[in-house]
Amino acid sequence: QLPTVTDDGIVCVTGGGSGTTTIVRPRTGGYDVQTIHVGACPHDPLLTPDGKRVFVPCAGDGNVVSIDLEDGTILGRYPVGDGPSHLALHPDGTRLYSANTFDGTLSCLSVEGDLLAHEASGSWAHQPAISPDGRFVYVANFLDDTISVFDTKRMEKIATLKTDPYPHGLDMSPDGRWVVATGFSSDHLRVYDAVTQTQIARIEVGRGSSHIAFLPDQGTAYVTCSVDDHLARLDLA
């Protein structure tokens, strides 16, 4: 599940049931494939911008595992909270943010593995997103139907935004203008102004809205609606 790819074409994919991460490296005439045991229930891997390292949150044992992509060496196992599932990397590359589903928290740690903060977010905190300027972290709380907004300097919750039921997807436009939260258990999603931290639109897209992708024009987004089996195209402007 949840593959990710470096600019050099190295693929990382987790095996939630097997407790593994597989690294696929392109080689002349084929591929080099390496499967590494990382821990219980690994979920969404996160690459560093230089493509040299991958961080894997293991929801079943509360660790984030750091792996060297060149040779598959495990560089560290960092405790963060109960049920880490998705990660966000600060734009300056020094800090990681882990949404921990089972205890409803957000953890901040250095890329070297030092736990810097651990704060309550909401029931089933699952999906984090960080603003391009690094000032704010947003966390979708699945069972609260909310988004928590944290100031990254103080790691203090500064706002709570209401979502449609089960905000499965949470994404920020690349220009930092909009935050979009889907509502898997409704037929609507919501759009928020990232400057004022307020809702600006509630849009009907279809049942089972899950994840969002933005086009380079910054004003268009596509949303997958996995119950209705279609894509919805949004004109954000």
Side-chain angles (χ1 to χ4, degrees):
Q1 57 187 359
L2 295 165
T4 186
V5 189
T6 71
D7 290 343
D8 294 330
I10 299 174
V11 179
C12 301
V13 60
T14 56
S18 61
T20 59
T21 294
T22 294
I23 302 171
V24 182
R25 306 176 184 91
R27 297 287 186 258
T28 302
Y31 298 90
D32 170 57
V33 181
Q34 181 183 19
T35 298
I36 305 158
H37 188 271
V38 290
C41 302
H43 200 54
D44 188 12
L46 175 71
L47 293 166
T48 55
D50 61 8
K52 302 298 184 185
R53 199 189 323 184
V54 64
F55 295 97
V56 182
C58 293
D61 56 21
N63 291 327
V64 171
V65 180
S66 175
I67 302 172
D68 186 318
L69 283 181
E70 184 176 356
D71 59 11
T73 300
I74 292 180
L75 303 174
R77 298 179 186 273
Y78 312 137
V80 288
D82 193 4
S85 301
H86 295 274
L87 306 171
L89 183 67
H90 194 279
D92 68 10
T94 63
R95 286 163 283 165
L96 282 172
Y97 299 87
S98 171
N100 308 308
T101 300
F102 303 146
D103 64 9
T105 62
L106 176 69
S107 297
C108 175
L109 64 156
S110 71
V111 292
E112 292 80 22
D114 301 311
L115 186 63
L116 305 175
H118 183 75
E119 301 295 335
S121 179
S123 183
W124 271 51
H126 193 75
Q127 177 76 52
I130 191 164
S131 60
D133 61 9
R135 293 177 59 199
F136 304 107
V137 174
Y138 302 81
V139 182
N141 305 307
F142 279 8
L143 296 189
D144 276 357
D145 302 335
T146 61
I147 296 170
S148 296
V149 186
F150 289 85
D151 180 305
T152 57
K153 281 190 175 180
R154 302 188 302 273
M155 271 300 286
E156 174 185 333
K157 188 192 293 189
I158 60 171
T160 300
L161 309 175
K162 185 67 179 173
T163 71
D164 268 82
Y166 204 88
H168 187 86
L170 174 65
D171 288 281
M172 191 162 198
S173 61
D175 61 359
R177 181 176 177 183
W178 292 293
V179 179
V180 181
T182 61
F184 185 87
S185 295
S186 79
D187 54 7
H188 286 73
L189 57 69
R190 303 195 191 197
V191 182
Y192 309 86
D193 186 310
V195 176
T196 62
Q197 314 295 355
T198 57
Q199 179 180 313
I200 58 173
R202 182 172 183 259
I203 304 171
E204 185 174 354
V205 291
R207 296 174 299 166
S209 57
S210 300
H211 295 286
I212 308 110
F214 296 91
L215 293 189
D217 67 8
Q218 309 288 348
T220 306
Y222 285 89
V223 181
T224 58
C225 297
S226 55
V227 175
D228 278 342
D229 295 333
H230 67 224
L231 292 175
R233 181 176 181 268
L234 302 182
D235 182 343
L236 294 171

